[in-house]
Amino acid sequence: MKRSISRRTFLARGTSLAAGLAVPACLVGPRPRRALAAQETYDLLIVGGTLVDGTGSPRRREDLAIRQGRIARIGDLAGAQAERRLDATGLVVTPGFIDMHTHSDRTLLEDGHAQSAIRQGATTHVIGNCGSSPAPASSPQTAHGHTFQSYGEFLAALADAGTSVNIGGLVGHNAVRAAVMGFARRAPDDAEMRRMKELVAEAMLAGAVGMSTGLVSPPGTYSRTEEIVELARQVAQRGGIYASHIRGEASTLVDSVREAIEVGRQANLPVQISHHKAAGKENWGSTRVTLKMIEQANAAGQRVRVDVYPYRAGSAGLSQLVPPWAHEGGTDAMLKRLEDTETRQRIARDMTEGTADWPNFFRIDWDDIQIASVRSDANRQWVGKKVGDIARARGCAGVDACIDLLIEERSDVQMINFIMDEAEVQGVLSHRLSMIGSDGTAVSPEIYQGKPHPRYYGCFPRVLGHYCRELKLFDLETAIHKMTGMQAEQLALPSRGLLRESFAADVVLLDFEKVIDRATFDDPHQYPDGIGTVIVNGQIVVHGGEHLGAMPGQVLRPERA
């Protein structure tokens, strides 16, 4: 019988997370022996492996049986019958990784094989982050042969297209606001507020796991806290979470975290602070303050978590370096301002010096901003180069090189920005309330152009290989918990994130001694080493390092709903 997992049960199972849980393989005790019914036959048996179940509990040697897409049995299954048997001797068997923070909304419609995701063990992608989702929209949208307008229609299009990974969808506040108000730089009137609440409610009823905000990007940056609280209450009524790219990650980081916590407190729902960091050298160290604030909120009864990726560089659209006021009216309006000589001078000054109402401003070193992708062939030579390189080649200031590139590419430029402190990244990674999210996108090297952030391909293997095995920042059990059980609990995804009987069979087989990322900033399109088999809903998707073409992914809905 299908069994779901309650929050209380999940917490009880997951409270063993603590430092020093790792147990050497040679000290793991014998498997508990269980009698097998003679008539039991399974679709797939995984035998001889060491299970790390996602709760943070110590590893153990047990076999795992899968039937009809679910984990049918765990124990000593050497004598069991199955249509297929995988020998996992010397390997670690874990739940499939849940990528808490991705931007795969459109790429999964284009190519559901999700090569860069599934090959690093990510069996679920949480999409719609940073306030950005393809729906709802003010008019019908067409993408890769699918037409949709409401969020429910978008989720249906994803299900129809087929994916190799499961999907948890966040409805984006930016999309909701743009559908109702466009890029108006003002508060909504009563009618607009009612319509936005309706769109959020529709998305939640259709199966969204929550709502995200992107408060550094227009039109989200034009909103006030009370607007977000009102919309978050619609999410809370239907069991979702509030995930936020907070209003500022630079000088106003502390105030921005305080705002996110306040939204969760007033709306009474779990809070997820996205890709938690302190941006810009002048702000390094600030997360030591914010993490204590988050601890205090949890001690007071709130549920607040953060996600983090294992790199000191972020990535976004290059236009994010343009001050918010210049975005009013949308991309075309911004480009007209950049093309106007007098307005351009004001924009350049604000990009260099900041403004009083720009909380995400940080001082830019143009040799820290790398071009990840462009729209046209004319500027393809700059992909992988720094804006400082472009400025020197063109004989202009860095800010002018940036503005010129935005104009030439009609704002369609992606950047990688090296703005974090490595020691601080490690501090967030190791914190007990942080979980792993790539902030990447599921892509395939045959389709995607440019040099994206290596997190697209290497996030989870980098945590396991570099930070866990090499640096010993935390033990294996903790690392896996930060990739699986924590996410499923936060999202209230029933029967996901743990290796438990009756749970969905999302499973990864990895060689802990070999797992490592290979993707780099100079050569990102490289799959990792050490992850040999990935199973989604009981079907083998990756085996022997090869994608088998299966697309058994499902759209997941929160249990709280």
Side-chain angles (χ1 to χ4, degrees):
M1 183 175 74
K2 181 178 179 180
R3 182 178 65 197
S4 62
I5 182 168
S6 69
R7 167 153 300 214
R8 182 175 297 175
T9 303
F10 202 120
L11 282 168
R13 292 173 175 171
T15 49
S16 57
L17 175 63
L21 286 176
V23 180
C26 61
L27 299 181
V28 176
R31 308 184 192 112
R33 304 193 65 83
R34 297 176 56 184
L36 288 173
Q39 71 273 18
E40 288 186 315
T41 300
Y42 303 105
D43 300 327
L44 178 64
L45 270 179
I46 302 170
V47 298
T50 298
L51 268 63
V52 178
D53 66 10
T55 65
S57 300
R59 66 194 76 175
R60 63 191 190 272
R61 287 202 186 112
E62 287 189 315
D63 305 325
L64 185 148
I66 295 171
R67 185 194 293 125
Q68 295 181 350
R70 308 193 80 79
I71 298 172
R73 196 147 187 187
I74 297 174
D76 184 354
L77 306 175
Q81 301 297 311
E83 293 183 11
R84 184 168 184 179
R85 180 182 297 251
L86 295 179
D87 184 358
T89 302
L91 301 178
V92 174
V93 182
T94 79
F97 307 147
I98 300 174
D99 195 334
M100 193 66 184
H101 187 111
T102 84
H103 294 276
S104 301
D105 309 61
R106 293 185 181 275
T107 60
L108 288 174
L109 277 178
E110 179 182 13
D111 176 18
H113 290 99
Q115 294 270 8
S116 67
I118 197 72
R119 286 173 179 259
Q120 60 173 301
T123 59
T124 298
H125 263 209
V126 180
I127 60 175
N129 279 281
C130 298
S132 178
S133 58
S138 58
S139 60
Q141 306 293 300
T142 300
H144 309 294
H146 297 272
T147 301
F148 50 85
Q149 184 171 356
S150 71
Y151 198 79
E153 289 170 342
F154 167 65
L155 289 181
L158 279 171
D160 181 64
T163 60
S164 292
V165 296
N166 299 309
I167 296 162
L170 295 164
V171 60
H173 169 245
N174 281 11
V176 170
R177 205 177 205 270
V180 176
M181 301 176 60
F183 278 69
R185 193 176 169 214
R186 59 172 175 80
D189 62 28
D190 290 345
E192 289 166 337
M193 193 68 220
R194 283 195 300 272
R195 183 55 184 152
M196 286 197 290
K197 290 164 71 172
E198 289 172 358
L199 290 179
V200 171
E202 287 171 1
M204 294 304 301
L205 289 171
V209 298
M211 179 184 76
S212 74
T213 52
L215 300 180
V216 301
S217 304
T221 191
Y222 305 143
S223 64
R224 297 174 182 171
T225 305
E226 51 265 33
E227 172 187 326
I228 302 164
V229 169
E230 282 301 301
L231 297 178
R233 285 177 174 145
Q234 299 297 313
V235 178
Q237 291 173 17
R238 295 159 182 86
I241 70 166
Y242 171 61
S244 183
H245 183 143
I246 54 178
R247 203 173 291 275
E249 296 176 326
S251 61
T252 60
L253 175 63
V254 172
D255 288 340
S256 299
V257 168
R258 185 176 292 113
E259 180 187 34
I261 293 172
E262 183 62 16
V263 170
R265 187 190 69 80
Q266 290 192 37
N268 192 28
L269 79 174
V271 174
Q272 186 73 22
I273 296 177
S274 299
H275 41 59
H276 195 43
K277 67 171 82 67
K281 293 179 183 178
E282 66 270 27
N283 304 304
W284 289 354
S286 299
T287 60
R288 289 194 290 272
V289 176
T290 57
L291 288 171
K292 287 182 179 178
M293 292 167 57
I294 293 165
E295 290 171 0
Q296 291 167 356
N298 280 272
Q302 275 192 260
R303 181 170 185 81
V304 184
R305 299 290 186 269
V306 307
D307 52 73
V308 56
Y309 46 79
Y311 302 88
R312 60 170 294 266
S315 183
L318 189 66
S319 64
Q320 197 175 97
L321 302 180
V322 174
W325 65 264
H327 289 265
E328 184 177 5
T331 299
D332 289 341
M334 179 195 71
L335 289 170
K336 287 182 180 178
R337 294 185 182 104
L338 291 176
E339 291 167 337
D340 177 80
T341 302
E342 184 175 343
T343 311
R344 173 184 172 133
Q345 290 176 350
R346 178 188 170 192
I347 292 171
R349 182 178 64 250
D350 288 354
M351 290 173 67
T352 305
E353 301 175 6
T355 69
D357 61 347
W358 190 3
N360 206 46
F361 172 80
F362 59 90
R363 303 223 169 258
I364 301 169
D365 182 337
W366 295 107
D367 285 317
D368 286 340
I369 307 297
Q370 180 172 313
I371 302 303
S373 69
V374 295
R375 181 180 188 175
S376 72
D377 291 336
N379 284 310
R380 199 80 64 194
Q381 61 181 316
W382 303 123
V383 173
K385 304 294 185 182
K386 305 293 175 59
V387 173
D389 296 328
I390 303 174
R392 285 184 286 271
R394 294 183 173 185
C396 64
V399 68
D400 289 314
C402 177
I403 291 174
D404 286 342
L405 194 61
L406 285 169
I407 293 171
E408 292 162 12
E409 297 298 314
R410 311 312 294 166
S411 187
D412 192 359
V413 186
Q414 291 294 308
M415 67 174 174
I416 295 172
N417 43 349
F418 294 84
I419 52 175
M420 282 108 72
D421 173 49
E422 171 63 22
E424 195 162 20
V425 171
Q426 293 186 27
V428 179
L429 276 170
S430 60
H431 195 273
R432 65 182 178 85
L433 296 175
S434 74
M435 62 189 75
I436 307 305
S438 70
D439 198 10
T441 301
V443 298
S444 297
E446 299 82 8
I447 297 175
Y448 189 87
Q449 299 295 314
K451 291 187 176 182
H453 197 298
R455 63 194 182 192
Y456 284 32
Y457 289 83
C459 173
F460 294 94
R462 182 169 176 79
V463 171
L464 291 169
H466 181 58
Y467 287 100
C468 179
R469 186 185 66 241
E470 295 176 353
L471 298 188
K472 296 180 171 53
L473 195 62
F474 31 62
D475 57 56
L476 177 59
E477 287 82 351
T478 299
I480 297 301
H481 182 65
K482 285 176 171 288
M483 299 176 174
T484 58
M486 283 190 76
Q487 286 89 331
E489 180 185 357
Q490 178 76 332
L491 295 164
L493 293 179
S495 304
R496 302 276 169 176
L498 301 178
L499 296 181
R500 284 280 187 266
E501 291 182 1
S502 84
F503 275 39
D506 297 337
V507 185
V508 174
L509 277 63
L510 62 91
D511 186 335
F512 183 57
E513 298 306 316
K514 295 180 180 178
V515 64
I516 196 68
D517 59 313
R518 297 178 62 229
T520 66
F521 289 100
D522 291 329
D523 189 6
H525 295 288
Q526 297 190 79
Y527 300 123
D529 290 332
I531 295 180
T533 302
V534 183
I535 299 165
V536 180
N537 295 313
Q539 293 190 42
I540 299 175
V541 178
V542 172
H543 187 58
E546 295 297 326
H547 196 301
L548 303 183
M551 292 198 290
Q554 300 175 5
V555 175
L556 307 181
R557 290 163 170 78
E559 182 189 51
R560 284 185 294 259

